Every structure is written in C-alpha cells, then in structure tokens.
Amino acid sequence: MKILFLSSWFPYPANNGSKIRINNLLQALADHHEVTLLSFTERPNGSKDVPELQALCQEIQTVPWKPYKPDTHRARWGFLSLTPRSLLDTFSEEMRQLIESQLSNGNYNLVIASELGMASYSQYFHDVPALFEDVELSLFIEPFSHATSKRSRVRNGLTWGKLHYYLNRLVRNFKAFTVVSKKEHQLLARFVNTNQTVEIVPNCIDLKNYQEFGKERERANSIIYTGSFGYAANYDAMTWFLKEIYPDVLERFPDANLMITGDHENLPLPNTEAVTLTGFVDDVRPLVAGSCISVAPLRAGGGTRIKILEAMALGTPVVATTKGAEGLDVQHGRHLLIADTPAAFSASISRLLTDPPLRQKLAINAYQLVKESYDWAGTLPDFLHLIERVAAAK
C-alpha cells in the first residue's frame, strides 16, 4: 500500500513526545508499506538528509515551519473567520501545493494526517481515504473550562467555540480517527458529530530500546525532569516546582540535585540552586536511568506523557501530578506517586528518597505496566489493521 504521511513535526531527532510517536508509527508502516513523508521543519537545511528516516521512507519532502504569531495581519483577519486563527496564520501555500502534487501524481491508497495542523489540509486530499491521527481536544477545552477570570473565560471560550465548529466540518474529510486516551475518546464523542471509526492508539515506547540501561550507577538524591521549555506546559511545570516544591526538598536533602533536560529557551527560572540545566541532549535515557526520581509536575497540556513511560521503562520511580499522569492507566502507590499540592509533592519525593524498597516496588510494577500496555510492539498491529480498513473504505 502507498501511504502519504503528513507531519507538523520533523520526526528526527525524536526528542519530544510527538516526534517519538511519529517516528514509531513510521517504523511500523515502513515494514509493510511504501511511505512518503511530507513534514514541516524548523531546520530546512539538510532536514531531508537523515539516514534514519531515509531508511523508513521512499521519499521525504520538507517545508519550513512558520510559527503562529497572533499579531500578524493574517492572524488579525482571523477574528472574522470561522477557521481558528492559529490555523489561518500558519497555513502554508507551499505545503498545500506539495500535498496536491503528490496526490495528483502518486496513486496513493491512504493519507495519514498527524495532529490538527496537518488535518487542516484535508480539503486538498483529492478523495483519497484519510486518517486523522492523534486528535487532541483537551488542550483547547481545558483553558476554557479552567479559566479563573471572566476575560480569560471569554477569550478561551471563543477559541474553543471556533475550533468546535471547525472540527465538526473537518471530520467529514476523514474515514477514521485515532486518539491517545479514553479521555480524548470521550471528548471527541461528546463534542464532534461523527459516525466514523475512532480508535485509541496510546502513546507508547519501543521497550526493547530501553533494556540496556541499568540502575547500578544511580546518583544519590538525584531528580530529573525531561522536557523542552518550548512547550509552555513544561516551563510552567518547572516554574511551579522550583518556586513551590524544590526549596522544601533541598531543606530536607541539602545534597539533592535537579537535572532539567531539553532546550530551555533562555527563559527565567525562580530558583536555580542545585539545578543542572543540560540543554538539548542526544539521548536522555542514561540520565533518566541514573536518577533516583523522575518528576512530572505538570498543570496543563493534553495527551499523555511519554516522559513518564520512559522513566518507567528505565526503572526510575515517578512522582507526578494528576494532570501529569493523565491518560495513563496508572495507580497511585502501585506504579507511581501522585501529588497535586506543593506539600504533598515534596513529601512524596522525600518518601521515595528515604525508602529504597518503595522505589524498587514502584519500578517493578511500572515496568510491567509498560510491558503489558504501552509497548509499541503490542499496539502497532492494531494500528496497521486500522489503516488497512481505512484504505479500503473508498
């Protein structure tokens, strides 16, 4: 089968959750089908010349990514449009032409549009059966439902209302949809009128790629957070953690150290005592495996956290907020510790640092959970079966 895969993220290096998901899907597809990748990229020079991706794709074409800027002329005109402003402002004529050219000349059996940014080009799919991969609504609903002021509620309500209307038109262009969790499935069923197939394809990891990293060189009282501040939810998580939680941890454990990986965007932090900012690293696995605890103090965002699955696969116990653990089939005290207040979060870290048997119990249970429910090896056969059904639905 010949597949056109559309991605807003250039999937190499696979250094965030979206890229990891896309990379794993491409690997699975490449084993059975002929795949052409059209992707936006933030690094246009040499983006296509990546051997790891060339081994998976028959062809790779990229288009420079233009980030959303709400003050541009096009974005301001978006106030008068029924299309969300962010989609109007980031629309790429070059990507549209590339999609139409490929579908006009390529005899494709299926289009896979990853995330909303690429699904928005569906009117140019030339009636080729299409799958909307990774529909995510909580990212837009929660700012409205959790708004604390009248102004923010009105602003976020207008954004969500426009997206709601837009999605109910957009879904007509697709034969099926995937979501990452039961919550996203429920939101899609509640707010979008569609009779098409919706399947849960959870965020997973390729477990065999984590088995070589052991815990024998664990750093004493070490804590790690993995995540680029280019994603606002990561920056908010670390700002909250360093201001409200970490001072108490340091008071109890003066030799503790927090390592934060990923691009930090030169954003200010409230406290950097006993903090190591690594910047981008090629491979976070040995750093996570060498840490006593991985934290996920997120208070915003959607989807599920691959950073938690990676820590579990590496035997590193996790402390997370309810939001951080959202979408994962985990139990507090069995697979990880969940805490939503600064005092509870600090106490959970202290508990783990002083209780090695508990760390070991959580690590064993968490690894088993990943093996049973969040390993791509077990999930991808269902995904491959889904795309065959979609391609057959002329």
Side-chain angles (χ1 to χ4, degrees):
M1 186 160 64
K2 195 170 182 181
I3 298 173
L4 184 64
F5 195 105
L6 309 178
S7 176
S8 295
W9 298 91
F10 189 73
Y12 189 88
N15 54 10
N16 67 32
S18 293
K19 292 182 180 184
I20 291 172
R21 180 181 180 90
I22 294 164
N23 206 291
N24 281 299
L25 293 179
L26 289 174
Q27 290 185 44
L29 293 170
D31 289 338
H32 304 275
H33 305 288
E34 180 182 325
V35 181
T36 294
L37 172 66
L38 304 186
S39 176
F40 285 107
T41 178
E42 295 178 347
R43 44 186 290 271
N45 295 328
S47 289
K48 295 184 289 185
D49 302 323
V50 177
E52 290 83 353
L53 287 180
Q54 290 174 334
L56 303 177
C57 304
Q58 296 291 319
E59 183 180 356
I60 301 171
Q61 295 289 335
T62 61
V63 172
W65 170 247
K66 182 175 74 71
Y68 171 50
K69 296 180 179 179
D71 292 330
T72 65
H73 183 70
R74 184 189 290 185
R76 290 183 182 279
W77 272 109
F79 283 116
L80 305 177
S81 171
L82 294 175
T83 299
R85 294 174 64 213
S86 61
L87 296 179
L88 274 178
D89 186 55
T90 57
F91 179 84
S92 168
E93 182 64 22
E94 185 178 355
M95 178 60 77
R96 179 196 69 78
Q97 292 176 3
L98 197 55
I99 291 170
E100 291 203 289
S101 174
Q102 287 284 341
L103 293 177
S104 296
N105 305 314
N107 195 27
Y108 285 92
N109 305 101
L110 175 70
V111 176
I112 299 177
S114 174
E115 302 183 355
L116 177 62
M118 301 313 298
S120 65
Y121 291 87
S122 59
Q123 61 182 302
Y124 309 111
F125 288 176
H126 293 267
D127 295 324
V128 177
L131 169 69
F132 187 163
E133 210 290 302
D134 193 4
V135 186
E136 186 177 334
L137 299 187
S138 59
L139 191 63
F140 302 95
I141 294 173
E142 290 184 358
F144 167 57
S145 61
H146 296 165
T148 57
S149 68
K150 183 176 180 180
R151 180 179 179 183
S152 63
R153 184 168 179 82
V154 170
R155 184 178 70 250
N156 291 314
L158 289 172
T159 300
W160 164 239
K162 185 179 288 191
L163 180 67
H164 182 204
Y165 177 78
Y166 179 79
L167 282 171
N168 275 284
R169 291 180 295 151
L170 187 71
V171 295
R172 304 168 191 169
N173 300 329
F174 293 92
K175 299 295 184 183
F177 311 88
T178 62
V179 293
V180 301
S181 67
K182 292 178 183 177
K183 177 182 178 180
E184 293 294 346
H185 191 294
Q186 292 167 351
L187 290 174
L188 186 61
R190 178 181 176 186
F191 291 108
V192 180
N193 299 318
T194 178
N195 295 319
Q196 292 98 318
T197 299
V198 180
E199 289 202 5
I200 299 175
V201 179
N203 280 327
C204 297
I205 60 172
D206 191 349
L207 190 56
K208 69 178 185 294
N209 292 333
Y210 295 79
Q211 294 173 346
E212 65 183 277
F213 299 92
K215 300 296 290 181
E216 64 274 6
R217 295 188 178 181
E218 183 178 88
R219 302 178 302 277
N221 293 340
S222 54
I223 304 167
I224 193 167
Y225 183 81
T226 57
S228 167
F229 289 175
Y231 179 45
N234 286 330
Y235 179 57
D236 173 78
M238 280 295 93
T239 300
W240 181 62
F241 182 83
L242 289 171
K243 182 178 180 181
E244 304 291 343
I245 300 168
Y246 197 45
D248 186 59
V249 173
L250 286 177
E251 186 174 337
R252 301 187 194 195
F253 303 91
D255 63 337
N257 182 268
L258 170 67
M259 181 181 294
I260 305 174
T261 70
D263 186 351
H264 306 116
E265 304 281 328
N266 294 318
L267 294 171
L269 292 170
N271 171 31
T272 56
E273 179 186 359
V275 175
T276 301
L277 300 172
T278 68
F280 172 76
V281 294
D282 290 330
D283 190 349
V284 299
R285 291 174 296 176
L287 299 179
V288 175
S291 301
C292 294
I293 300 172
S294 176
V295 293
L298 289 118
R299 303 187 296 173
T304 55
R305 318 300 175 182
I306 288 181
K307 59 169 61 71
I308 291 181
L309 298 178
E310 289 189 308
M312 290 177 165
L314 292 165
T316 302
V318 174
V319 181
T321 55
T322 300
K323 183 63 179 176
E326 185 177 74
L328 297 175
D329 190 17
V330 293
Q331 297 176 25
H332 169 68
R334 177 174 174 80
H335 305 110
L336 78 175
L337 298 183
I338 295 177
D340 289 315
T341 67
F345 211 102
S346 175
S348 295
I349 291 174
S350 298
R351 183 181 173 194
L352 285 178
L353 290 178
T354 56
D355 192 345
L358 175 60
R359 295 208 304 269
Q360 184 177 22
K361 184 190 90 167
L362 293 179
I364 291 171
N365 291 339
Y367 181 88
Q368 191 62 29
L369 175 69
V370 173
K371 183 177 180 181
E372 293 174 356
S373 302
Y374 297 104
D375 183 6
W376 277 119
T379 299
L380 288 173
D382 291 336
F383 178 77
L384 293 172
H385 182 56
L386 170 65
I387 66 167
E388 290 172 359
R389 300 199 323 264
V390 174
K394 293 288 185 179

